Amino acid sequence: MFERYTDEARRVIFFSRYQASTLGAREIAAGHLLLGLMSVTDDFVTPLFRNAGMDLEAVRSSIRSSSPPLESIATHVELPLSSDAKRALLNALEESELLMNKHIGNEHLLLGLLREDATVPSEILRNHGFGLDRIREKVASKTNMRVRTDERPATKPTGKQRVVLGVERLLHEKIDLLRGARVGLICNQASVDHSLRHVADLFHEHSDINLTALFGPQHGIRGDVQDNMIETDHTVDAVTRLPIYSLYSETREPTEEMLKDVDVLVFDMQDVGCRIYTFVYTLANCMRAAKKFGMQVIACDRPNPINGQQVAGNVLDPEYASFVGQFPIPTRHGMTVGELARMFNERFDIGCDLERIPMEGWSRDLWLDQTDAPWVLPSPNMPTLAAATVFPGTVHVEGTQLSEGRGTTLPFELVGAPYVDPERLAKELAQLNLPGVYFRSCVFRPTFQKHMDKSCGGVQLHVTDRASFEPVISGIAVVKTIHDLYPGEFKWKLPPYEYEYDKNPFDVISGTAAMREAFERGDSLQSIEESWQAPLAEFMKLRAGYLMY
């Protein structure tokens, strides 16, 4: 980030460190950044301070009086940045991007300080007539850039759509929802803001948030547990030193004991747009606990990475509800976490006190890579958007003894088994003429899980046109073709699967026994897909009432 700073802005950082040292501070705080700004001379910020009647020594006295008096320390001693200074510098970066500037200058540092509205320097600036909107307009005029009236640019300089995440709006615009409350946060390693800072750290450092507990989903709060059905322990977070309660352990719903120091639960996790993914059911379970124990849930929205328009697959039969599918929704639902939360709450009768924080800038047609939203793998075998794109189909492979590519660098993009002839399989699949996908014959060797250290013949799904590609039927086609080609070798996975001990795992994943039974009867792929259509049409009517974008 500092390589984009102008020479004047670098001098501000130098003088900020000097001011912190002479005041005896053990870290560089936002107040020292203001003193640094006032210590340098430029053609923009200096006249503003002069016209406002701001005096360096008077401001220094105010900042000194806001903290206990300390003896000065040597100026050569390196000092870390405080949490409010880090936020101010990140704000400066955002302001530079907001104004589509290539540099970060003193003007952006001033805007960054003004955005930290709960700090001493921000109060000093406001008392001298500095307002965020007015200064931003002055900066825009100086740099010949126009600020949109909603204060968000349509795109970043990269041309990608600017998306403000729900959690970013919660922290910057709706912080009153958390003031005075004890906060529990449901998150994992993908819960980051645009600067890739983890939301647990952001919450922990925020002066208006009393973060008291963390809750981790399947694969753990750091996402290090590779496989399904591997529970994680309750522990203590190494960074915040707060308790982490595992919601993939002896319980998948927070208990009263876990919630004893919590008034409001905040959910901020990245979904992948598929019914067969447990994070949204962790949300549903937390909503049930909140209803039971009288607390609020705040669901922070994030993009559906595979877009919010396309919907496909069979609607779950309630008889086959499980932790990988609690509600009658289709395989590819085309909704966001916030939209699903409201549907769960109202249509499926959870009835908790729910607050949703929508995104800004996202529209239903957008894939994640068309936005500037961050991507951190939400689970160990979901490393890329390419994996998420095929997942609604190839996830069904988990319900068989075929390898779905776990233990390779292309999970869910590779499918096969030791007995499969890859050329024969690829040829059969090519004859189906499925749109937007090429099935390339290949051989791969998983390093763990099914068929570990054995060479597997199979195919890789290459999506050639994701607008026409339909992942559910494509994934089903791979499973059905191998089932039909190798009736003696093909096997279904045996229970248990995701806490279901008496149901066929393929049925649990599919959300119905009808698909497996259709395979075993020899029904055509077309007839299987046609059987989905009537329930899917009914869902589309229901879904329309819950869309926010």
Side-chain angles (χ1 to χ4, degrees), residues 10 28 64 91 113 116 119 158 196 225 258 313 342 369 377 404 427 474 477:
R10 293 173 190 267
I28 302 169
R64 182 195 293 117
N91 292 343
L113 288 169
E116 284 301 296
T119 61
T158 59
L196 297 177
V225 182
M258 293 176 183
R342 183 180 163 216
D369 60 2
L377 70 172
E404 63 273 15
K427 182 178 179 181
S474 299

Side-chain angles (χ1 to χ4, degrees), residues 366-404:
L366 293 173
W367 292 71
L368 189 86
D369 60 2
Q370 295 173 313
T371 78
D372 71 345
W375 173 268
V376 171
L377 70 172
S379 54
N381 289 285
M382 194 64 63
T384 63
L385 180 59
T389 300
V390 300
F391 179 75
T394 52
V395 65
H396 293 83
V397 179
E398 285 189 10
T400 75
Q401 297 294 356
L402 301 169
S403 169
E404 63 273 15

Side-chain angles (χ1 to χ4, degrees), residues 301-341:
D301 219 359
R302 288 180 178 265
N304 183 325
I306 59 173
N307 85 57
Q309 286 184 330
Q310 293 169 276
V311 179
N314 65 293
V315 174
L316 177 136
D317 178 348
E319 183 181 341
Y320 288 87
S322 71
F323 193 50
V324 291
Q326 288 188 8
F327 305 108
I329 62 177
T331 316
R332 184 181 187 179
H333 50 67
M335 300 177 74
T336 68
V337 165
E339 292 169 341
L340 287 170

Side-chain angles (χ1 to χ4, degrees), residues 109-167:
L109 294 176
L110 177 60
L111 290 170
L113 288 169
L114 281 167
R115 279 176 53 172
E116 284 301 296
D117 57 2
T119 61
V120 172
S122 177
E123 182 181 355
I124 291 172
L125 289 166
R126 287 197 306 272
N127 289 341
H128 283 84
F130 285 78
L132 179 61
D133 292 340
R134 185 174 66 85
I135 299 301
R136 188 183 283 136
E137 288 294 340
K138 284 181 176 290
V139 176
S141 177
K142 171 182 182 288
T143 57
N144 296 316
M145 293 292 180
R146 180 176 62 85
V147 181
R148 287 172 57 200
T149 55
D150 64 359
E151 300 182 3
R152 300 288 178 182
T155 60
K156 292 183 69 174
T158 59
K160 293 189 175 185
Q161 175 67 33
R162 170 67 174 171
V163 172
V164 186
L165 304 173
V167 72

Side-chain angles (χ1 to χ4, degrees), residues 257-333:
E257 176 65 19
M258 293 176 183
L259 297 171
K260 65 181 180 180
D261 295 320
V262 174
D263 301 311
V264 59
L265 282 168
V266 177
F267 181 93
D268 179 48
M269 295 188 64
Q270 179 65 60
D271 186 40
V272 297
C274 179
R275 180 190 69 222
I276 309 152
Y277 207 62
T278 61
F279 296 164
V280 292
Y281 307 118
T282 294
L283 169 59
N285 289 346
C286 289
M287 291 165 63
R288 292 188 183 97
K291 169 69 173 177
K292 189 184 304 181
F293 301 118
M295 60 185 60
Q296 186 181 52
V297 173
I298 298 176
C300 299
D301 219 359
R302 288 180 178 265
N304 183 325
I306 59 173
N307 85 57
Q309 286 184 330
Q310 293 169 276
V311 179
N314 65 293
V315 174
L316 177 136
D317 178 348
E319 183 181 341
Y320 288 87
S322 71
F323 193 50
V324 291
Q326 288 188 8
F327 305 108
I329 62 177
T331 316
R332 184 181 187 179
H333 50 67

